[in-house]
Each structure stands twice: as C-alpha cells, then as structure tokens.
Amino acid sequence: MTLRPGQMPAQRKAAFPPSVDEATRLLILGSLPGDASIRQGEYYAHRGNAFWTLMGGVLDEDLRALPYARRLKKLRARGVGLWDVIESADREGSLDSAIRGAELRDLSAFVARLPKLEAVAFNGKTAALHGRRQIGSAQGLTLIDLPSSSGAYAMLSREKKAQVWQGLRKWIDPQD
C-alpha cells in the first residue's frame, strides 16, 4: 500500500451494538459509524449528518435538541431501531467509499429475532448494497432504500431527502 504524503494508513473501525427491542417495527440500517460518531460513541454524531433532523421530521419531534440517550429512547418508543450492516472494516476517514475489508453482520438471523419487524430502511447506497444481500427476500419485510443522511451525499437537498424519509411514517408507532 502506497501512502500519499501526510496520509495515515486505514484503521480498523467497529460499529456499535444495535438499538432495538422486542417492539421494533422499523429497523434503520447505516453502513458503519463515521469518525465523529466513533469518537462520541453515538450514532450519527457528525453535525453535518442530517439523520436526527430527518427522523425528527418523521416523528414530528425535535430529536436533535435532546440528549443522545433520549433520542434513542424516543426512537425505540415509536418502534424504530438502529444498527449498521458492517460489523467492522478498515477505513481511512469516514467516507463509505474508503471502506475496505468489511466484516458484514448476519442480518438474516438478526431480523428473524425481531418479532414485530415489518420494514428495514437502508440509510444510503452502501447500507442498501450490503443489507439487501444479507437480508435477501426475508418473508414479509418491506425493504426501503433511503438517500443517505450524510452531509457528504449532496446529490439531493436536505428538503428532497426529507420528502423521501417521510415515507417511513407508515411504520412509526403513534405517540402515547
């Protein structure tokens, strides 16, 4: 491997445990947490990532204003779980295009253990590519490809992304 001047070698990066429970109806799968998320130990921690804003729009709640643990609790209370399709990988920086040597999760077995699961949404192309292969045609599940919430994905405006993400409302449990 030849490195450019000032370039650091790729580091092995690992994903977080799932944020799900027995009531999860909608599972949102990303690819692998970025560096800001890994440093903070939080899904979608980078300020430029619109995930919490997009999901806040879907739930009609300002998730970004809440502490992280409350964000996860709000998602789970509405039947939404989070996880990633990649367990670990070598990657320099945070871009999915830099992922090498990905160790994939056994998503088929995982989704089979979620009794109320109805839909799996893939946050971005990398998640969809790996996730669809792993889940295959799991009986009864709706598979949804979402435009990436990452700020690095600028092909769509945040408003256009929000329009697509609104389609998740179908699987959101109503508030108590």
Side-chain angles (χ1 to χ4, degrees), residues 29-78:
L29 295 171
S31 55
L32 182 70
D35 288 350
S37 292
I38 291 169
R39 276 193 301 278
Q40 294 181 44
E42 299 179 359
Y43 282 107
Y44 305 105
H46 192 281
R47 287 186 328 232
N49 194 304
F51 177 83
W52 295 108
T53 301
L54 292 167
M55 280 308 298
V58 172
L59 273 56
D60 289 325
E61 295 192 46
D62 186 3
L63 295 176
R64 193 172 278 288
L66 299 174
Y68 179 69
R70 293 224 19 234
R71 293 177 192 177
L72 292 180
K73 187 175 180 180
K74 288 273 189 184
L75 289 181
R76 285 191 308 270
R78 304 289 296 276

